[in-house]
Amino acid sequence: MSVSSTKTTCPYCGVGCGVIVNMHENGRVEVLGDPDHPSNYGRLCSKGSALGETVYLAERLLYPEVDGEQVSWELAYSHIAAKFSEVIKQHGPDAVAFYVSGQLLTEDYYVANKLMKGFIGSANIDTNSRLCMSSAVAAYKRAFGEDVVPCNYDDLERAQLIVLAGSNAAWCHPVLYQRIAQSKESNPNVKIISIDPRRTQTSDISDLHLSIRPGTDAVLFNGLLLWLEAAGELDQRFVNASTEGVEQALESASLSSPDVQTVAETCGLSVDEVEQFYRLFARTERVVTVFSQGISQSSSGVDKINSIINCHLLTGRIGRKGMGPFSFTGQPNAMGGREVGGLANQLAAHMEIDNAEHREIVSAFWQTKTLASKAGLKAVDCFDAIESKKIKAIWIMATNPVVSMPDADRVKAALQNCEFVVVSDCVANTDTSRLADVCLPATTWGERDGTVTNSERRISRQRPFLSAPGLAKHDWQIITELAQAMGFEEAFRYRSAAEIFDEYARLTAYKKAPQRQLDLSGLCHMSLREYDDMPPLQWPVTDLANQQNNMPMYSDGLFSTENRRARFIAVTPQSPASSVSALYPFILNTGRVRDHWHTMTRTGMSPRLSAHRIEPFVEVHPDDAREFGLSDGKLAQISSETGTEIFVRIRVTQRQQRGSLFVPMHWNLQFSSQARVSSLIKTVVDPISGQPEFKHAVASIKSCDASWYGFIISRQKPVLKYSRYWARSRGKGFWRYEIAGKEKPADWATHAKTLLNVEPGEEWAEFYDKADGHYRAARFVGGHLDSVIFIDSSVLLPPRDWLISLFQKDGISTRERLSLLQGVPPADVEDVGRIICACFNVGEKTICHAVKNAGAKTAEAVGEICQAGTNCGSCRPEIAELIQQCGV
Ligand code: SF4
């Protein structure tokens, strides 16, 4: 059987793993890690490994639509061009906006930015990357004079100490976590410190976990700065030659963090914990401090990051291998967007919009007289301006702000009332596209052609291996053709992504200031073939023939500022904007789960990825659960200052700090009745970066008074009624619904048949105890199990795993039928339990069996017995946890 192979890049997180896609003749899509890609060397996490399951056309948007009617591209373009032009004519260019995405490729970003800033003449283009890494951008620019991540992934393997601040890399950047874990395994002297209010899977491999009081990170790092100076760890030569502002930074630090006692009290840690951290940092030369959304999604995220960078500048631990302050970016191309000016306050090629000389350079290069002259509106301000009707027309590309923006219900209302909304996306139905006047079908991973840049500045190719379905087009094509329809033909004549990349590369070299690091002059004028074959490369690229890999940035001690000195920033720590009160006694933290990505438009389609966490949940500490009457497995209603509430499943866990709640960010109206956690987040942002404070809202929680609970597993989607709560997940050939409600039908037997659309004469088995509210039924079609529905007055319903396994079988035996409505397998059939290893479908009961009965004491031993954890390795932290729990 013939196989065609394509090397491309994973479309999920900022790690940017290289993948090899093998297309088999029978249509099977096999996705493997690329052993030659320097970011992952063949590794993939569960999401990357399951990419093959997400490549199909169901749920795709395939044709342009205007007001819900399918139209030609020409008609869609002329409609959008007319509407945008009319708004601009009447209200000026600042009355329109683009809201773009870290999912776009660099070439898409480049032309979107060029159209808005260069030719429409407004800088109202911002990206959803604003929500995840804009504080890192601002902090790097303040310290180094340019948005330059100074580290490389191989620094993680060279470091003797890795400090992970606000980063659950095990779930959010799994392949980097694997590299860190592997490094520690091969060298026990490598130390890991995790700074996180929650005990996460990342904390589990740390030598020291600092369960810090939320929002106090800058106090901790200011204290470290003082300690390092007092301990004589200051690198005087480096500080004198390459930096400025150390005195002011130390002075500020001495005000907030005068001694360890004060730091410990403020941060909710013991003196011993703080001293252990400080001593380890002080005496270790090769230190990498990783920071992620736990630090940056804060109303003072920029300062927090600068307090970290200060410590590296003071010790001179930057610009050399195995050390530095390292931001892990969330999105696959957040970095590429930063390079080409995807943020409202930047120009392309790391030039600044408020710098007249930079504006002249870009205007000359683009040959435009209408370049925007001032910064545009950042994401939150942009949606505020839509609400107040200052912005009258918006084009949203490849993102879902009705789910992901803070105060998401307000964003939804603002878009509902907006004069003109265009959405381009690959998916037909998102919470945002439902509000659009025009929907444009875009290509997606597997069809797209272009480049992305990952967290270590590595540019990799995304190559197509499928043709565009229906009438879908690449984002750069859509933008280019719309620009032509608006009358900008001359500047938008691109015929390929390669031409756009070439123009971008030439712009990085055009009249370049010597101190600027972003330089792709070595990639200019490539042939189509050279662009196509371009290997993964880290910028700067000035001489392709002599390009070096994994070189530290600023190794000469010369930074990107005018005077080439790095700047210490005097940091005065700020408290989070909201404080707990009698009304809202909990701090609400949001984040990711292991197997889902953002708003689930892709991962929600994968049965494998949907098996790990099947519904939205809140994590709560056992003492809080007792005090507030919250029981594990029941439902909670969470409310916040935005006046909104959500409904989620309760998970009681010691991993959560007392007084704090954790809710994942992914679930939306397509997958759950009401669980968009962003609707609970107030629109508080960092004043410098504009990044919202997703990690610290305040909330109240109470048990939800459901009178019945249930679940449905069915090959068809049921028509739900009476379910105050529902969450659905996709299985292999079926949908699974968890449901609950207060109101109930007069008769479950009648209602269940309506709900599952049961026809007279269909094979239907049921059990009904009306007095106790127990109802169970199953439908069989052609000897196969087609649907089951279980309803109970309590939450104590049978486990679903064995029932789910019956949906994979060719037929149902008599013994299985007899057991089915009890919901328990026959005595000799194994129930694998909740799925832990998504790659090999291994459940927790199977893993516990390997530990208890076969004596497995390590993740490797478990893997040898039942394969769990032997493919992508994303579940290894949970296997380690189960070994502890089940060990005898
Ligand atoms: S770590 Fe996982 S999600 Fe991130 S790029 Fe690699 S395979 Fe994709």
Side-chain angles (χ1 to χ4, degrees), residues 9-19 40 43-49 51 172-176 597 874:
T9 312
C10 174
Y12 293 122
C13 80
V15 179
C17 296
V19 300
N40 59 316
R43 297 176 181 92
L44 288 182
C45 75
S46 50
K47 292 186 282 288
S49 301
L51 270 166
C172 304
H173 299 93
V175 162
L176 296 184
W597 176 255
S874 293

Side-chain angles (χ1 to χ4, degrees), residues 172-421:
C172 304
H173 299 93
V175 162
L176 296 184
Y177 165 83
Q178 287 172 32
R179 289 180 70 161
I180 293 168
Q182 177 73 51
S183 169
K184 184 166 173 59
E185 226 168 275
S186 26
N187 179 2
N189 292 328
V190 168
K191 300 288 179 211
I192 296 173
I193 297 175
S194 152
I195 303 171
D196 197 317
R198 301 161 67 211
R199 182 164 187 92
T200 64
Q201 280 66 22
T202 307
S203 318
D204 288 348
I205 59 157
S206 62
D207 299 276
L208 177 65
H209 169 221
L210 300 179
S211 178
I212 194 170
R213 180 170 291 135
T216 59
D217 313 78
V219 174
L220 185 68
F221 281 95
N222 266 0
L224 175 61
L225 192 75
L226 283 185
W227 175 285
L228 292 168
E229 196 225 7
E233 292 301 327
L234 182 146
D235 183 338
Q236 197 69 61
R237 191 203 55 77
F238 175 81
V239 169
N240 288 348
S242 297
T243 71
E244 61 187 9
V246 67
E247 293 82 11
Q248 293 89 328
L250 287 166
E251 199 183 314
S252 282
S254 69
L255 295 176
S256 70
S257 315
D259 50 58
V260 173
Q261 186 72 38
T262 308
V263 171
E265 274 168 23
T266 312
C267 298
L269 302 168
S270 70
V271 167
D272 181 51
E273 286 173 317
V274 176
E275 285 186 348
Q276 274 190 62
F277 168 39
Y278 288 1
R279 262 192 241 111
L280 207 47
F281 196 111
R283 69 167 186 237
T284 313
E285 178 64 5
R286 294 202 304 274
V287 183
V288 171
T289 307
V290 170
F291 51 91
S292 197
Q293 277 73 20
I295 295 288
S296 61
Q297 288 182 329
S298 154
S299 55
S300 56
V302 181
D303 275 348
K304 285 179 183 173
I305 296 169
N306 280 117
S307 73
I308 292 170
I309 295 174
N310 283 346
C311 297
H312 281 269
L313 291 177
L314 191 85
T315 49
R317 291 175 188 159
I318 188 165
R320 290 181 283 146
K321 287 183 184 275
M323 58 186 77
F326 200 168
S327 143
F328 282 2
T329 44
Q331 296 215 69
N333 198 29
M335 187 76 94
R338 286 148 75 163
E339 291 159 16
V340 297
L343 294 164
N345 48 331
Q346 299 175 331
L347 288 174
H350 281 190
M351 284 182 269
E352 301 297 332
I353 203 161
D354 52 9
N355 181 317
E357 194 186 329
H358 289 179
R359 289 200 303 274
E360 259 174 47
I361 293 171
V362 176
S363 295
F365 186 81
W366 281 347
Q367 297 189 10
T368 180
K369 293 188 169 53
T370 48
L371 188 82
S373 57
K374 62 176 191 335
L377 295 174
K378 299 182 181 119
V380 166
D381 300 331
C382 174
F383 285 96
D384 284 351
I386 294 170
E387 186 183 43
S388 64
K389 301 203 180 294
K390 286 190 187 111
I391 288 178
K392 296 173 189 305
I394 182 159
W395 181 359
I396 298 165
M397 302 180 204
T399 182
N400 199 354
V402 170
V403 182
S404 52
M405 284 292 292
D407 210 349
D409 282 354
R410 239 180 85 207
V411 168
K412 185 177 174 191
L415 287 175
Q416 266 162 344
N417 295 322
C418 183
E419 220 173 287
F420 190 59
V421 178

Side-chain angles (χ1 to χ4, degrees), residues 48 108 141 210 278 330 337 362 523 607 662 725 774 824 862 883:
D108 305 322
K141 278 165 76 173
L210 300 179
Y278 288 1
V362 176
L523 297 175
F662 173 81
Y725 170 85
H774 303 313
V824 288
V862 167
I883 293 170

Side-chain angles (χ1 to χ4, degrees), residues 586 588 615-620 624-625 628-639 644-652 661-663 672-677 680 699-706 709 724-726 740 795:
F586 284 91
L588 172 65
E615 58 185 332
F617 60 87
V618 56
E619 285 185 352
V620 55
D624 289 330
F628 286 79
L630 306 166
S631 309
D632 194 71
K634 283 199 165 184
L635 295 171
Q637 176 180 337
I638 307 174
S639 315
T644 312
E645 69 263 341
I646 61 167
F647 298 90
V648 290
R649 191 73 63 178
I650 299 165
R651 292 167 69 98
V652 178
L661 306 172
F662 173 81
V663 178
S672 182
S673 47
Q674 197 171 331
R676 284 149 59 241
V677 71
L680 301 181
S700 64
I701 183 169
K702 63 178 185 184
S703 188
C704 190
D705 51 349
Y709 296 83
R724 179 69 193 84
Y725 170 85
W726 62 263
V795 79

